[in-house]
Amino acid sequence: MASISFKNVSKRFGDNLALDNVSFEVKDNAFFCLFGPPLCGKSTILKIILGLIDPDEGEVLIDGRSVAGVAPAQRNIAMVFQNLALFPHMSAEQNVRFPLAERGVDPLEISNRVAEVAEKLNITHILSKPPSQLSGGERQRVAIARALVRDPNAYLMDDPISALDARLREQTRVELRRIQQELGKTLVYVTHDQEEAMSVADTMAIMEDGKIRQTGTPVDLYDSPNSTYVAKMLGSPAMNILPLDFAGKGKPISFSGNTPKTAISIGIRPEDLEIKLAKPSNGASVVNVEPLGSFTTLMLDTSGKQLLATLRGQTKIQTGDHVAIMVNPERAHFFDKSGAAAQAAG
Amino acid sequence: MQRTLLFETFRFSIIFLIIALTLVPTLWMVSMAFKPIQEWSASGGDLTWWPKNPTLDNFRFIFGESSSELIVALERGAGRPILASLLSATFGTLIAMVAGTTAAYGLSRFNSGRNLPLALIQLRLFPPMAVMIPVMIMWAFLGLTDTWWGLALIYGIVTLPFAFWLMKTFFDDMPREIEDAALVEGCSRFRVFLKITLPMMRPALASSALFVFILNWSDYLIALLLTTRDWVTIPVYMASLSSSMTGQLYGAKAALGLIAAIPPVVMGIAIQKHLVRGLTFGALKE
Ligand SMILES: Nc1ncnc2c1ncn2[C@@H]1O[C@H](COP(=O)(O)OP(=O)(O)OP(=O)(O)O)[C@@H](O)[C@H]1O
Ligand SMILES: [Mg+2]
């Protein structure tokens, strides 16, 4: 039960500006996801929340109160570290017991809680082993159990399930989402997998190079990215972004609608391209077809520009075919010179 | 490369040569320790590889009893010097390890005392003789001369830089996150050190302690300058093993050398099983 907010937080490591004027707000009980490429400052944010790193500037509030000078142990926040940080000289069980034992919880109560959380994460059978004898996925679950075993104000998880294979990852993220809702606790979650971020987050923040570029619900960010950067970070395959003169009446991409004055480029998600077989004129040719089962990805080439389009299910279109491309004006995004979203109203 | 017979022969000759160079003198010492005086003193006859009449005379002799009419029994046995060496080396190691480990932890984690690590190693660049004279004066003034505790103290000080540097490297290599996790889970910094860091560092502590102990155990110079009679150590005592009639008492020296080899070897074997595993094996993701 805690809200967490950053007010203009900056952090430098030597000459390296790891966090640049970062502000955001995590609501109580929210599943908040930090998403960004490597080294953009995600772990640094979590460590500042924990109190392991002090910000150079700005303020961190937990439940509306500044936590400057409060020791990590007093903040009552649990963390799954990116490299897991299990205690190598203790068994899995001792690792999971540790947070409760350190807080002087009654031994009987500890045993019950450990058994319960071990059950939940399916690690009961490996509790007696030391971390060195566990697989990567098992270690990750032990680390998650160590965080879940106590009753903190908030949980932080730094890319907690990256060591799992794709299928198990999907299962586990659903499980984590369910656990978070069950516990009714704030969870700040770091990932560099956009699909994972979108599937679990109530709110997500997209980061680049120490800055937060946009915050919002996954759907908001997907539908209204404020910049080409955010537009490209979400969605797979990524949004097509082309110079504006590729779209319009009689252009390779047939488009009828107003474009904002400041716009210089247009962005269209692969699933928003409408594709029809056509005569070879000024449309596009199909360079590659990838049938992926539930959808098919087409790579198109129009005057030297490559576009990706996805179609539901299978298609008869083949490599070498010529197609006409159309876009619903409501599904098009516009960006100005700086890469920021251009406002249609202009 | 093709492993021809010629190449293999060459390879094994080299290996054999190296082994011979390192092991033969040791074997010679072992063999000599069990020879009666007639066999180890050149005047007594021809030198042989193995004792013809193996005997424990040399061991009896250094503990103060002579069975040979050729040399008179020693006035002082080796018991006291062995005790002196054990006490001073052990406690010296303890002092160096406790002070070195805590200093290394502080400097590694809090990045304070910027030039201190270098200053500590520079201590060792001084020729020991230049430092020892003032130390002799101080020790005399403090009444520490010719005591095992005085020796232990100076051993601790002299080997502190080694303990410090070894442990600092280990602490620097330990991932921060493991300690961070304990801090977050409710430990104070001191408790983290006791409950997480030290147990994890057991192999590092063991190997550093062995190294420091061997340094202390094999010291000659300091003991020579700071002890005179009551608490001379094994090396100093060994140097004094000679007789006016037969000169150097090689048999007795060999016997004492053999005894002196025991503690480091035993320690090494005891520690060995801690050394094979990495420090953080299993703690991290990869
Ligand atoms: N303790 C530190 N000392 C010096 N620089 C650091 C430290 N911690 C982080 N940095 C730097 O700060 C920047 C942000 O690092 P951070 O670990 O927060 O990135 P991240 O987004 O978590 O990356 P990843 O996805 O790889 O985990 C990086 O440039 C990194 O090199
Ligand atoms: Mg990180």
Side-chain angles (χ1 to χ4, degrees):
Chain A
M1 282 148 287
S3 61
I4 298 169
S5 63
F6 269 44
K7 294 220 159 76
N8 310 98
V9 172
S10 294
K11 177 69 194 176
R12 249 171 225 290
F13 294 107
D15 291 338
N16 179 0
L17 188 56
L19 292 183
D20 182 5
N21 199 17
V22 166
S23 301
F24 63 87
E25 163 118 39
V26 182
K27 293 213 175 60
D28 194 12
N29 297 349
F31 200 124
F32 184 86
C33 202
L34 286 166
F35 169 56
L39 301 182
C40 66
K42 307 181 292 295
S43 300
T44 305
I45 288 183
L46 296 192
K47 287 180 183 172
I48 287 177
I49 299 176
L50 289 170
L52 295 170
I53 297 178
D54 291 326
D56 294 336
E57 282 158 45
E59 208 179 12
V60 179
L61 308 175
I62 296 181
D63 267 342
R65 277 190 301 275
S66 167
V67 288
V70 180
Q74 263 78 60
R75 296 192 184 192
N76 198 19
I77 292 174
M79 166 87 165
V80 179
F81 283 84
Q82 185 164 23
N83 58 9
L84 305 184
L86 294 174
F87 307 129
H89 57 294
M90 301 182 186
S91 69
E93 176 165 19
Q94 287 169 321
N95 266 280
V96 179
R97 294 177 74 95
F98 189 85
L100 298 178
E102 280 308 304
R103 288 180 159 75
V105 177
D106 170 58
L108 196 68
E109 161 100 15
I110 295 183
S111 299
N112 290 339
R113 293 264 285 277
V114 170
E116 192 184 327
V117 72
E119 179 84 15
K120 206 179 272 176
L121 286 155
N122 199 13
I123 52 171
T124 311
H125 58 294
I126 53 167
L127 279 181
S128 61
K129 293 187 187 174
S132 57
Q133 288 173 24
L134 302 179
S135 73
E138 288 170 334
R139 282 180 206 167
Q140 238 158 6
R141 278 179 287 152
V142 172
I144 295 172
R146 184 175 69 183
L148 291 182
V149 76
R150 68 189 170 93
D151 191 32
N153 291 326
Y155 297 97
L156 312 183
M157 298 190 182
D158 199 344
D159 220 349
I161 58 178
S162 61
L164 307 183
D165 67 63
R167 197 169 294 273
L168 200 53
R169 210 156 60 216
E170 273 169 40
Q171 280 171 18
T172 313
R173 77 187 188 211
V174 173
E175 190 69 358
L176 281 177
R177 176 78 183 139
R178 194 181 58 73
I179 292 174
Q180 185 265 338
Q181 280 168 346
E182 228 172 72
L183 295 168
K185 289 284 170 65
T186 311
L187 173 57
V188 181
Y189 190 94
V190 163
T191 176
H192 52 246
D193 177 341
Q194 57 101 11
E195 194 184 303
E196 193 172 303
M198 291 193 66
S199 69
V200 292
D202 293 321
T203 312
M204 62 192 283
I206 298 191
M207 296 188 64
E208 179 189 20
D209 217 6
K211 288 181 277 289
I212 290 192
R213 298 300 303 264
Q214 194 174 3
T215 315
T217 65
V219 174
D220 276 351
L221 297 189
Y222 190 79
D223 285 344
S224 340
N226 66 3
S227 58
T228 52
Y229 177 79
V230 172
K232 281 190 213 158
M233 287 293 285
L234 293 184
S236 170
M239 182 187 280
N240 299 296
I241 296 176
L242 295 161
L244 201 53
D245 42 340
F246 274 80
K249 279 210 180 64
K251 301 276 175 62
I253 298 169
S254 148
F255 170 82
S256 56
N258 295 329
T259 56
K261 274 207 196 72
T262 54
I264 61 143
S265 58
I266 181 169
I268 311 142
R269 295 213 176 267
E271 68 271 23
D272 292 332
L273 290 173
E274 291 167 36
I275 309 288
K276 269 206 315 252
L277 278 170
K279 285 199 205 77
S281 54
N282 66 351
S285 58
V286 179
V287 187
N288 191 26
V289 180
E290 281 179 12
L292 296 173
S294 61
F295 62 95
T296 304
T297 305
L298 302 180
M299 185 182 274
L300 310 172
D301 182 283
T302 169
S303 346
K305 283 273 174 204
Q306 311 256 298
L307 289 177
L308 284 173
T310 53
L311 304 177
R312 243 172 221 285
Q314 277 82 38
T315 176
K316 284 201 214 57
I317 300 175
Q318 287 174 342
T319 305
D321 285 350
H322 288 268
V323 293
I325 309 174
M326 280 159 303
V327 177
N328 176 351
E330 279 175 18
R331 303 301 303 168
H333 304 267
F334 297 96
F335 302 101
D336 66 17
K337 270 213 296 282
S338 64
Q343 296 310 313
Chain B
M1 183 188 280
Q2 192 71 31
R3 300 225 150 158
T4 60
L5 187 65
L6 189 71
F7 174 72
E8 288 294 280
T9 318
F10 177 70
R11 199 163 74 104
F12 278 101
S13 329
I14 296 282
I15 293 173
F16 185 79
L17 189 71
I18 292 171
I19 292 177
L21 281 174
T22 51
L23 284 189
V24 164
T26 317
L27 272 179
W28 188 247
M29 178 191 79
V30 175
S31 141
M32 194 143 70
F34 296 97
K35 285 176 181 173
I37 180 164
Q38 293 81 1
E39 290 179 40
W40 58 253
S41 72
S43 58
D46 46 1
L47 294 172
T48 52
W49 278 107
W50 300 113
K52 280 190 219 123
N53 307 300
T55 168
L56 291 177
D57 274 1
N58 292 321
F59 294 90
R60 282 196 211 100
F61 174 74
I62 57 172
F63 288 106
E65 160 192 341
S66 178
S67 56
S68 159
E69 61 284 2
L70 288 174
I71 27 178
V72 276
L74 287 166
E75 182 193 341
R76 299 170 156 272
R80 190 69 183 244
I82 291 172
L83 185 66
S85 271
L86 280 174
L87 285 173
S88 58
T90 306
F91 281 90
T93 305
L94 213 64
I95 293 170
M97 287 305 296
V98 169
T101 303
T102 43
Y105 186 71
L107 290 181
S108 171
R109 288 297 177 272
F110 303 107
N111 200 21
S112 49
R114 269 167 210 289
N115 294 322
L116 202 56
L118 269 182
L120 266 173
I121 209 72
Q122 273 162 7
L123 275 183
R124 298 294 313 180
L125 296 178
F126 255 63
M129 284 307 291
V131 192
M132 280 317 294
I133 302 305
V135 170
M136 279 173 74
I137 297 167
M138 281 192 281
W139 258 233
F141 180 74
L142 294 169
L144 293 171
T145 312
D146 205 18
T147 59
W148 69 263
W149 53 94
L151 211 47
L153 184 59
I154 190 71
Y155 282 168
I157 294 170
V158 166
T159 50
L160 174 67
F162 293 105
F164 169 81
W165 268 96
L166 285 167
M167 288 313 296
K168 181 160 186 302
T169 327
F170 287 119
F171 285 135
D172 286 347
D173 287 348
M174 179 180 161
R176 293 272 178 114
E177 277 79 9
I178 296 179
E179 292 187 340
D180 284 350
L183 281 178
V184 168
E185 297 306 348
C187 289
S188 66
R189 179 52 82 169
F190 185 64
R191 216 173 145 67
V192 170
F193 183 65
L194 285 188
K195 292 224 25 174
I196 307 294
T197 316
L198 282 186
M200 270 180 69
M201 284 288 149
R202 213 175 289 155
L205 288 167
S207 42
S208 309
L210 177 62
F211 180 72
V212 168
F213 180 82
I214 290 174
L215 282 179
N216 290 336
W217 185 252
S218 48
D219 164 71
Y220 175 63
L221 179 67
I222 297 175
L224 183 68
L225 295 174
L226 290 184
T227 59
T228 48
R229 188 188 153 84
D230 288 345
W231 291 102
V232 295
T233 59
I234 295 175
V236 177
Y237 177 78
M238 190 188 279
S240 73
L241 280 178
S242 61
S243 116
S244 50
M245 271 162 66
T246 45
Q248 298 285 340
L249 298 173
Y250 288 113
K253 284 179 196 234
L256 186 57
L258 201 58
I259 294 171
I262 294 171
V265 170
V266 167
M267 250 182 105
I269 292 170
I271 283 172
Q272 198 181 27
K273 85 170 196 288
H274 292 296
L275 300 182
V276 288
R277 283 189 156 201
L279 298 181
T280 60
F281 195 49
L284 307 178
K285 204 181 264 175
E286 273 79 33

